[in-house]
Structure formats: structure tokens, C-alpha cells
Amino acid sequence: MKELEYPFDSGYIMKKKKSLKRRLTEEVTPVLTKRIAVLGGSTTSDIVSVLELFLLNYGIKAEFYECEYAQYRQEALFPSEELLAFKPEIVFLHTGLRNLTFKPTPKMSEADIAEGLENEIAGYKQMWESLKANFGCAVVQNNFELPSFRLLGNSDGSDKRGLVNYVTRLNIRLAEEINAASGVYLNDINYLSAVCGLDVWSDPQYWYLYKYSLNIRFIPDLCFEAAKVIKAICGRNKKVLALDLDNTIWGGIVGDDGAENLTIGQETAEAMAYYQWQEYVRSLKDIGVLLTVCSKNEEENAIAGLEHPEGALRPSDFTLIKANWEPKSENLINTAKELDILPDAIVLADDNPAEREIVRGSGFAAPDMDNVADYIRNIDRSGFFEVVSLSADDLKRTEMYAANMQRKQEQSKFADYDDYLRSLEMFAEIAPFKPMYVQRLAQLAGKSNQFNVTTRRYTVTEMEERMNSDEYITLYGKLVDKYGDNGVVSEVIGKVNGNKLDLELWLMSCRVLKRGMEYAMLDELVKASKEKGIAEIYGYYYPTAKNKMVAELFGELGFEKQSSDDDGNTVWKLEVSAHSESKNTAINVNTEEQ
């Protein structure tokens, strides 16, 4: 919904909360639900109602629990019966400067202040650990905004007795502990309050009158940031930035003006703005965002523009280049097909408002891009690619997809598909979950929709619990071939129930579809089941709008259907002893050649 996209009108959102919710309810079909507890150190009623809007706009229907005023610590450490019954999947700890339990004074020693700081941090760690122990939930944690006054003047930032200095160091320590903890994520109100303007953010009248810790005009900004973190935890991030070319990544029209006359580089203010925008776009590759071109242009002109010596981007930075005269919506749909991703994972950056409007009608995101000086801010603040974890696979995603394109080109040379698979020289590492992969496994479970039989989501904590429990069989699968390392691409979780195994999760990245990886995973699952004395494995398929491709997966793997219902849910069984012949013919599993 346009009203909830950056840059939004906060005043309008606050006034129209109810009508916006009605429209969202009519227009948006949620793809998942989440139980979210908001534990606040200040008033949170409007925060809950606005956060609900942003989450619904991301396709997340939230059920909320809201603690009594300022009871966040008690609820986190000693959950009430209501909170225990609610069983939150995510807890938003909405705290800030006014919830500090310790503040330095000019008469304190450095040792006293250091002790106070560590005690403050310990209090938050204690709350996270309690929430993790009681609920296994993810925690979204605010840091602290700077104070709006400085007792020591400018020295408040340098003197350890100054509150500015203390809060700055407190935020650094909090960030260290969040990074060290699993399943805890930062909501950076220190940055947000600076962006909004500290004086207006901290307007004290809202505290005196209503016990709000911030100016209520910024509640939508606060909720938008929290919602971005939550949707990233839930795997609702975008994956691809598709870029128009003319007047989007350079000034001018390459087909008319010629590549040599494009505005890009360091010579003029406008050229510098386009260059900095190109640098920002290129840096998105480093967090795993795939770059593609979607431009109405001749391809040779597009390549010539991308090879401009003063530009920061090069043709090799793009996983796909669609430069032609087809409608952009069709090019984006074809991009999704060729990358094996869903269309709603693509964002189009285009200076042309008419083109943006057309692709929005086809379900693609297309933020306003009206002034090159604002391009970076518009993409960055929109939070399409919000990072809550950065795995090794994220860092090399562009290379992985480029290798996939090579595989597809190679496939066209073979008449026999099995010959093609064998030519890939594939090796798989399939083993029980390991700590080094837990973040990636939770991330993969959070965002895999198509090859995912149950579409069940897990927090990092829940993944760790299953990894460390004898009640579960867990397997991850990594796949390497002659074109490169695909990383962790598959995972299976089964709960042991006597001599039966109930599969909670079976998913695979669409990057490795039709490679036979599911057969290799089944072979290893059967081996692990035999070692635990499992006689029967039960698979469950729960249909969604996106996972139809695996409706018959278990049947293809040799399971027998046991039941089905009117909603399309099916139950399948495999007699472990009946699985004797592997269908994996092309992947070498757990060999030293990896």
C-alpha cells in the first residue's frame, strides 16, 4: 500500500489507522501469522496499532500481546500467565533512554560508571535469556537515543561522566551483546532519532502528558523500522534490485546521446550524484542482493553505457541484463523465472513514474525515484533488503546465481538430462545441523516458500533446540559442482516419536531444483533413521499459494499417501525398510572430493 511505503506521511497514518487497516484487510492476503508481544518501558498502545499496519502490508498478520505500562522487565523475567498462554514467537522490547536504571553523575568515579554500565547490559541479557528459555522466541531490542540535554556541554560526549558519552558506550556494548546472542535483533532508535531530529523526537511534553518516550508523530517511523526487522526475521525481504538505465543509473539516454555523452563521473554535481548512486547499488551485492537490468534499450547500447569509464557499475555486476523493447512487467516476470525466484522478490528502480505504476499493478515493488540525489535514501530507507544476519552464502550470492546461469547454458548442450547432471560433477555434504550453519538454516527456513512442504518457520533458538535434542533428526545439505559452491541449500527436520519420525520440515533452495538433491537427502535421512531405530517416516504437505511444486514430493520419493483433507493437507508414510534403491544418480555424497 503506497501510504505505508517510504517516504510516508506519518500524520496521515496516525489519523487514518482504522481506515488503513480496513483497506489492508480487504486488499492484502497475509502469507503468515505471528504472535508478537510488545513489552514496553513506556506507553505502547498506538505503537501496537501502527506496527500492525506495517506488518500487514508485508503480508504478516500479527496477533499482539501488550504488557501493562512499563512492566517490560517483570514480564520478561517472570512472565504472567497471560503471556505464558500467549506464547510469543517474537518479543519487541520497546525501551529507551527513560528506562535507564543507572546514569552517571560528575561525582562518580570511572570505575563506578563502568560497573553501572555493565549492570545495565547484564539486565538486558538476563531478559533475553529468560525470554529465550520460556518461549524460544526472537527478540527485537531497541538501543538508546541520546539525551536532549548535555550537563557538561560539549564535554558530555568525551568525559566518561557525561550522559552522552555513557549512552554512546552503552549502545556499543549493547550491540556487542546482541551480536553475540542468537535470536536477538537490534532496532536502532539511536540512528532513527538522529534522522528524525533529536529535539523533536525527545519532545518531553509527550512523556509528561501521555508517558510516550517519543514524540507521537514519529510512532510510524519507529514502527516502520521495527516492522522491517520483523519481516526480515520472517524471510520477507526482497532479493533482486532490477534497474532501469537511462536517467536511473546515469543521466541521459544512451541510445540518443551515445555512451560517451552520458552524465556520470566526477565532473558535475549531477554526474557525481549518479556515480555515488552506482557505488551504492554495487555495494548491495555485498549483502547478497542480486542486480539485474530492466530497460527499454538495445542491448548493445546498454552494455556500452555500463562500460562507461567514469561509471562504478560494470556489466559483470549484473546477474541478468534485460535490455529490449518488451513491457517491463514481462521482463521482470521472465527475470523471476530465470532466477527461480518469486516475482514479489523483485524491486524495480526506475525514474519513469508511468513505468513504475504499470509494474506496481503487476505486484512488483517500485519506489518513487524522482531525483537522483534522493535515489540512495529512497532505496535504503525503504528497507527492502533489511539485514538481520549476513551468512557466507549471502556474501557470494551473486556468484552463485551467475554460476546457475552457466549451468543453464550448459544444460542446453545435452540431449539427455542425466548426462547433463553427471557433467556437473556434483558433491554434497549432508549431515546433522552444525552451530556454524544455524543462522543460515533459520534464514533459509524463513524465506523458502516454493520447495517447502510445511512452510514452517523457525527462530535461531528453535533451530538450536532441535540441533541439540535427541528427540530430533536434523540434516542440512550443501552442494558443490564444477561451477562453484551453492552453499547450504536444503534442510530436513524430523521429530522422533517412538519408532516413527514425523517430518516437521523439508525444504530446498530453488537454486538447485531438478539436480536430484532431494534424493540424496532422502538417502541420508533413511540412514539416520535406521541408526535411531526408526521404522516409519511420516511426511506432511500443507498447501500454500506458493508451494504447489512439492504437493507430490513425498509420492515421488516413494512415500505412500495415508490421508488427505478438503484443504489439500496430505499425510504420507515411508517404510524405512522399503527404501533400498537410491534415485540419486549424479551426486556424490559426503566424499572427500568436496
Side-chain angles (χ1 to χ4, degrees):
M1 179 181 289
K2 195 75 176 64
E3 291 88 339
L4 296 172
E5 295 173 5
Y6 181 86
F8 45 74
D9 182 339
S10 295
Y12 180 84
I13 293 173
M14 292 299 290
K15 288 178 184 174
K16 300 291 184 179
K17 293 192 293 286
K18 291 182 179 177
S19 62
L20 287 171
K21 184 178 177 182
R22 276 198 302 274
R23 282 181 52 200
L24 283 166
T25 304
E26 293 169 0
E27 298 172 10
V28 176
T29 303
V31 294
L32 71 159
T33 60
K34 285 290 171 186
R35 295 184 303 279
I36 300 174
V38 178
L39 308 184
S42 55
T43 303
T44 55
S45 54
D46 282 319
I47 290 171
V48 167
S49 58
V50 176
L51 181 59
E52 181 181 23
L53 300 179
F54 283 112
L55 290 174
L56 199 50
N57 197 41
Y58 287 133
I60 302 169
K61 181 175 175 53
E63 300 171 25
F64 285 101
Y65 173 89
E66 192 179 352
C67 76
E68 296 293 331
Y69 170 74
Q71 296 299 301
Y72 67 99
R73 194 178 300 275
Q74 291 88 334
E75 282 276 45
L77 296 177
F78 310 103
S80 63
E81 290 185 6
E82 291 81 2
L83 182 58
L84 289 169
F86 182 71
K87 297 179 181 176
E89 297 166 279
I90 296 171
V91 170
F92 176 26
L93 274 171
H94 173 57
T95 51
L97 188 71
R98 291 190 181 279
N99 302 117
L100 289 179
T101 59
F102 171 87
K103 292 179 182 177
T105 70
K107 292 183 179 180
M108 287 182 177
S109 68
E110 285 193 15
D112 290 338
I113 296 169
E115 183 180 357
L117 189 151
E118 289 305 320
N119 286 340
E120 191 83 58
I121 292 295
Y124 280 91
K125 288 176 64 178
Q126 196 176 9
M127 286 189 281
W128 304 339
E129 289 162 5
S130 173
L131 291 167
K132 180 178 177 180
N134 282 298
F135 306 112
C137 59
V139 177
V140 179
Q141 173 68 64
N142 286 352
N143 57 8
F144 302 91
E145 74 275 28
L146 290 174
S148 59
F149 60 89
R150 300 178 299 175
L151 186 62
L152 305 182
N154 285 287
S155 295
D156 217 71
S158 59
D159 193 306
K160 290 191 174 180
R161 294 165 295 183
L163 186 54
V164 170
N165 181 282
Y166 177 77
V167 171
T168 301
R169 289 188 292 129
L170 186 62
N171 280 334
I172 292 172
R173 280 289 293 121
L174 191 76
E176 289 172 348
E177 294 301 335
I178 287 175
N179 289 335
S182 64
V184 183
Y185 306 93
L186 176 66
N187 188 40
D188 192 353
I189 65 169
N190 181 38
Y191 178 84
L192 181 62
S193 59
V195 168
C196 295
L198 191 56
D199 274 346
V200 279
W201 173 280
S202 304
D203 190 336
Q205 66 172 319
Y206 296 98
W207 178 257
Y208 302 145
L209 290 171
Y210 313 114
K211 288 294 182 287
Y212 271 108
S213 61
L214 72 163
N215 186 326
I216 59 173
R217 66 182 272 195
F218 296 122
I219 285 177
D221 300 85
L222 170 76
C223 294
F224 186 51
E225 292 301 312
K228 287 191 290 188
V229 175
I230 292 171
K231 64 97 175 166
I233 295 171
C234 296
R236 299 289 296 159
N237 268 352
K238 305 295 185 185
K239 297 178 180 176
V240 175
L241 180 62
L243 290 133
D244 173 51
L245 297 178
D246 295 331
N247 292 317
T248 297
I249 70 167
W250 55 60
I253 300 173
V254 65
D256 293 338
D257 302 330
E260 67 278 12
N261 294 314
L262 296 176
T263 303
I264 183 75
Q266 306 298 322
E267 296 303 319
T268 67
E270 187 181 14
M272 290 173 66
Y274 278 110
Y275 182 82
Q276 192 167 11
W277 162 234
Q278 285 202 10
E279 278 193 317
Y280 174 81
V281 168
R282 189 179 61 187
S283 69
L284 290 173
K285 288 174 55 185
D286 296 336
I287 59 170
V289 177
L290 301 178
L291 304 180
T292 69
V293 167
C294 182
S295 172
K296 288 183 174 175
N297 249 309
E298 297 295 341
E299 183 164 336
E300 63 183 42
N301 289 334
I303 299 297
L306 290 170
E307 290 177 339
H308 193 293
E310 298 299 317
L313 287 165
R314 290 290 177 266
S316 58
D317 290 316
F318 295 89
T319 306
L320 277 176
I321 293 178
K322 298 283 187 188
N324 53 46
W325 301 100
E326 298 299 322
K328 290 188 176 179
S329 56
E330 287 187 19
N331 276 328
L332 294 177
I333 289 170
N334 289 332
T335 293
K337 287 179 180 175
E338 292 177 41
L339 295 177
D340 291 323
I341 61 173
L342 293 171
D344 66 5
I346 298 177
V347 178
L348 174 68
D350 195 320
D351 72 299
N352 187 326
E355 295 285 7
R356 295 198 299 264
E357 196 60 30
I358 292 170
V359 301
R360 281 177 188 145
S362 299
F364 297 99
D368 290 345
M369 305 285 287
D370 297 324
N371 183 337
V372 63
D374 296 328
Y375 286 179
I376 294 176
R377 182 165 53 231
N378 285 355
I379 294 296
D380 196 71
R381 299 278 173 81
S382 292
F384 297 117
F385 313 109
E386 180 79 20
V387 173
V388 289
S389 65
L390 203 53
S391 68
D393 287 355
D394 293 325
L395 299 178
K396 56 186 180 184
R397 179 165 294 123
T398 296
E399 290 78 6
M400 289 177 176
Y401 276 86
N404 246 4
M405 301 307 294
Q406 286 183 292
R407 293 181 189 103
K408 290 186 176 181
Q409 292 170 3
E410 182 78 7
Q411 181 184 341
S412 64
K413 301 176 183 175
F414 287 85
D416 185 284
Y417 192 73
D418 288 337
D419 288 344
Y420 159 68
L421 289 180
R422 283 189 284 273
S423 78
L424 292 178
E425 301 171 9
M426 294 184 286
F427 298 93
E429 174 184 312
I430 302 175
F433 288 1
K434 295 177 181 175
M436 64 188 295
Y437 295 135
V438 166
Q439 285 278 0
R440 167 61 180 162
L441 292 164
Q443 182 192 56
L444 192 60
K447 67 183 183 181
S448 296
N449 295 303
Q450 298 181 87
F451 196 111
N452 190 337
V453 292
T454 55
T455 319
R456 182 164 176 171
R457 313 300 187 184
Y458 295 83
T459 64
V460 171
T461 301
E462 289 170 331
M463 282 291 181
E464 290 173 334
E465 288 173 352
R466 282 153 179 78
M467 176 180 68
N468 296 321
S469 172
D470 289 336
E471 296 180 358
Y472 288 89
I473 291 177
T474 62
L475 291 175
Y476 72 87
K478 288 188 70 185
L479 187 63
V480 179
D481 62 28
K482 68 180 183 182
Y483 292 107
D485 186 350
N486 294 276
V488 176
V489 293
S490 185
E491 56 189 289
V492 174
I493 297 175
K495 190 173 193 313
V496 177
N497 182 15
N499 66 348
K500 300 177 182 176
L501 184 72
D502 294 309
L503 296 179
E504 286 185 359
L505 181 74
W506 188 317
L507 65 78
M508 192 166 71
S509 167
C510 290
R511 291 202 308 269
V512 296
L513 287 178
K514 298 181 179 179
R515 306 274 291 277
M517 187 64 180
E518 61 271 35
Y519 300 127
M521 292 292 289
L522 177 64
D523 293 342
E524 297 306 307
L525 178 65
V526 168
K527 283 184 191 174
S529 296
K530 287 179 177 175
E531 290 172 2
K532 275 193 172 288
I534 301 294
E536 298 172 347
I537 301 174
Y538 285 83
Y540 302 86
Y541 169 69
Y542 304 136
T544 69
K546 297 179 178 178
N547 72 348
K548 293 176 183 173
M549 71 161 60
V550 289
E552 299 298 325
L553 171 70
F554 290 115
E556 293 162 8
L557 293 173
F559 287 61
E560 293 183 0
K561 188 184 289 186
Q562 303 298 297
S563 65
S564 61
D565 62 23
D566 293 340
D567 294 327
N569 301 309
T570 54
V571 180
W572 305 73
K573 183 177 78 171
L574 177 72
E575 298 281 353
V576 171
S577 60
H579 179 77
S580 56
E581 185 176 351
S582 174
K583 291 185 179 180
N584 169 33
T585 59
I587 301 175
N588 295 299
V589 178
N590 295 338
T591 58
E592 294 182 355
E593 284 83 346
Q594 296 170 65

